[in-house]
């Protein structure tokens, strides 16, 4: 299959294929972002056709879209488990399935839902594929801890930058009321170790390294979908 496309057609193919993997009666984690939105819309059409599913939203954005297209919603407090989570990625390592997420500043809630799922399906277009991770890592931090977290990230060899809002003055504020630092580390030789180091910094709420979580990555192209499967312990 020819690997082409980074536009809406590729994203739609990936989202639709992931939504087709949802079975009747499933509890579905609803990811955030443009590719995951195609999956949510497809689930809405399947619900209209009689599919019985319940969604767990990972953000205000995914919750509002699910309501718009008619996907019933619940919370992690009210279900025993999530059967399948569908979410996007900003970058993924083709060899290992390790991800960098958080471009939409929803990675804290996404990680909770994705990690709780029996199956975690990542939807992406070809522009997100990489041989090793090297994109900046989004890190959600408590506002009062920004300065010490920045210093600790600098000690780890990172270059943190406070994410600025686009349509308002000041920084991006997450759904949880926190700030986001985008931390450049260059090529990540050991994402597993870095994930542990970042998580251990006091004041860090969540980071965008998703290591050992993805069961499969569905890469949409202009022509269809390529699937990468990974062993998750």
């Amino acid at each position: 299959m020819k690997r082409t496309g980074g536009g809406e057609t590729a994203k739609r193919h990936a989202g639709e294929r992931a939504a087709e993997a949802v079975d009747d009666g499933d509890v579905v984690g609803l990811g955030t972002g443009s590719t995951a939105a195609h999956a949510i819309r497809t689930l809405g059409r399947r619900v209209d056709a009689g599919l019985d599913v319940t969604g767990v939203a990972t953000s205000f954005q995914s919750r509002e879209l699910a309501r718009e297209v008619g996907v019933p919603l619940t919370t992690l407090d009210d279900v025993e488990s999530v059967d399948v989570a569908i979410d996007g990625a900003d970058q993924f390592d083709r060899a290992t399935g390790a991800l960098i997420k958080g471009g939409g500043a929803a990675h804290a809630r996404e990680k909770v839902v994705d990690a709780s799922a029996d199956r975690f399906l990542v939807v992406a277009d070809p522009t997100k594929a990489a041989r090793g991770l090297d994109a900046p890592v989004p890190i959600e931090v408590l506002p009062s801890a920004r300065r010490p977290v920045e210093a600790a990230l600098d000690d780890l060899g990172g270059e943190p930058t406070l994410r600025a809002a686009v349509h308002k003055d000041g920084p991006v504020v997450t759904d949880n009321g926190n700030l986001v630092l985008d931390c450049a580390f260059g090529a990540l030789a050991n994402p597993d170790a870095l994930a542990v180091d970042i998580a251990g910094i006091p004041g860090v709420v969540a980071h965008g390294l998703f290591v050992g979580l993805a069961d499969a990555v569905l890469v949409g192209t202009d022509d269809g979908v390529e699937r990468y499967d990974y062993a998750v312990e």
Side-chain angles (χ1 to χ4, degrees):
M1 180 183 298
K2 182 174 63 176
R3 299 184 72 250
T4 59
E8 287 305 309
T9 298
K11 294 176 180 180
R12 177 172 54 81
H13 285 163
E16 289 176 346
R17 180 67 59 84
E20 291 168 1
V22 175
D23 296 323
D24 199 61
D26 278 352
V27 176
V28 187
L30 305 177
T32 301
S34 58
T35 310
H38 284 291
I40 296 173
R41 293 188 185 99
T42 303
L43 283 175
R45 292 192 291 271
R46 293 192 64 195
V47 168
D48 285 343
L51 182 71
D52 177 21
V53 298
T54 307
V56 176
T58 58
S59 66
F60 177 86
Q61 178 192 50
S62 60
R63 182 171 66 250
E64 290 301 294
L65 180 57
R67 287 173 172 167
E68 177 185 326
V69 301
V71 177
L73 293 172
T74 186
T75 68
L76 289 179
D77 288 335
D78 296 321
V79 295
E80 293 183 2
S81 64
V82 175
D83 296 292
V84 56
I86 301 171
D87 210 344
D90 300 311
Q91 189 178 54
F92 78 94
D93 184 345
R94 286 193 295 263
T96 67
L99 317 172
I100 291 178
K101 291 177 49 57
H107 51 287
R109 298 188 186 186
E110 288 173 334
K111 186 171 285 187
V112 172
V113 174
D114 297 345
S116 69
D118 294 337
R119 290 182 296 149
F120 174 26
L121 303 181
V122 179
V123 290
D125 65 69
T127 66
K128 306 302 192 295
R131 295 182 178 179
L133 301 178
D134 59 9
V137 179
I139 301 168
E140 183 169 341
V141 301
L142 298 173
S144 61
R146 173 192 167 189
R147 294 301 184 190
V149 170
E150 287 178 330
L153 291 170
D154 184 70
D155 289 342
L156 291 177
E159 297 180 2
T161 301
L162 181 66
R163 187 182 297 181
V166 176
H167 297 296
K168 64 175 281 292
D169 293 334
V172 165
V173 178
T174 72
D175 287 358
N176 306 314
N178 298 313
L179 303 177
V180 176
L181 300 174
D182 292 307
C183 194
F185 291 96
L188 305 186
N190 192 337
D192 305 65
L194 182 61
V196 173
D197 288 340
I198 297 174
I201 299 173
V204 168
V205 176
H207 58 72
L209 283 171
F210 286 49
V211 180
L213 292 179
D215 291 280
V217 178
L218 306 179
V219 180
T221 70
D222 289 341
D223 309 307
V225 176
E226 293 181 350
R227 178 178 176 124
Y228 298 80
D229 289 287
Y230 304 96
V232 178
E233 296 181 0

